[in-house]
Amino acid sequence: MSSTLLEVRDIRIYYYTLTGVVRAVDGVSFSLRDGEVLGVAGESGCGKSTLGYGLLGLIPPPGRIAGGSIVLDRVDLTKLRPAELRRVRWAKVSMVFQGAMNALNPVYTVGHQLAEPLVIHKGMDVREALEIAAEVLKRVGLTPDILRRYPHELSGGMKQRVMIAMALLLKPRLVIADEPTTALDVVIQAQIMNLFKEIKERERNAMIFITHDLSLIAEIADKTSIMYAGKIVEIGSSDDVFNSPAHPYTQGLLRSIPRLRGREKITWIPGVPPDLRAPPPGCRFHPRCPYAMDICRTEEPPTVDLGREHLVSCWLYAKR
């Protein structure tokens, strides 16, 4: 069994706004083994992307890490100074951002932006860095002439491939993909997903794949975590989470997906996610939960181990 690469314990990421403290990520814990892919799913505003940015120390102000630890390869990233953290980014952990056009600098060529990390982190000269960048572009299905182009000269799928190439450039052990297919049409989305599956087999990187789309997680992830209102409510192997969903929220998400086979009626989860400046007491899902009990409205549910590392935070299982 591969060793543990990432250990996140009770991480809390808050945004300190003029109208109150937004508890975007509130007490999240999980671990990730070398070469393992973790899918993170949930509704908009549940804290998925904030969690990804927090792992790299890239939380935009007025947000900051309010507590907890992020141990990557036996180093606690929350204790590093900014200069030390910059040496870790892209060398040990990298990110494929949601909006490639916003992440790429429009006034520099693709070659300049791909060569820069190699020059800074590895001390290479520009010519050597461009040669390596051309090889990485080939691995993501692009030709070396892309190096001379500017971001606005590329299609959406090409820009996303450039972002993936940039994430793989320094051969990090962990790659975080933040909704990498959201802005793409379905054909290009399928191509990007096939590329991620190739990377999973070829590069053997550990990955955190953040998305709204549970079907994408089912394609690529070894483990699946479901987030709701800043917390992980269920986590386990993808087989367990998809075939034996435990939390009422996970069950609701899966029942809302159309199936090619089967006669299950498509349903939806009533209500809206809570305001994270003043989340409801007890279980944060209780205002929308069809199984809510009195204890759900007053006390936060404990995490219950259902076996085989399948964890759920729900009083339905704690009461048993």
Side-chain angles (χ1 to χ4, degrees), residues 14 37 115 266:
Y14 297 166
V37 178
I266 297 173

Side-chain angles (χ1 to χ4, degrees), residues 2 35 37 117 178 184 212 225-226 298:
S2 55
V37 178
D178 181 21
L184 307 175
H212 290 95
S225 65
I226 305 297
T298 56

Side-chain angles (χ1 to χ4, degrees), residues 68-88:
S69 63
I70 302 167
V71 178
L72 176 68
D73 198 17
R74 298 186 293 276
V75 177
D76 189 347
L77 303 187
T78 63
K79 304 236 186 303
L80 297 184
R81 295 190 294 272
E84 295 171 323
L85 198 52
R86 281 194 292 271
R87 287 195 288 270
V88 171

Side-chain angles (χ1 to χ4, degrees), residues 100-101 104 142 146 149-162 183-185 188 191:
M101 192 65 225
L104 294 170
L142 295 175
I146 297 294
R149 299 195 199 178
Y150 288 87
H152 70 271
E153 298 179 280
L154 307 180
S155 68
M158 293 167 77
K159 285 195 282 280
Q160 198 61 275
R161 287 173 186 266
V162 168
L184 307 175
D185 63 58
I188 304 301
Q191 294 175 3

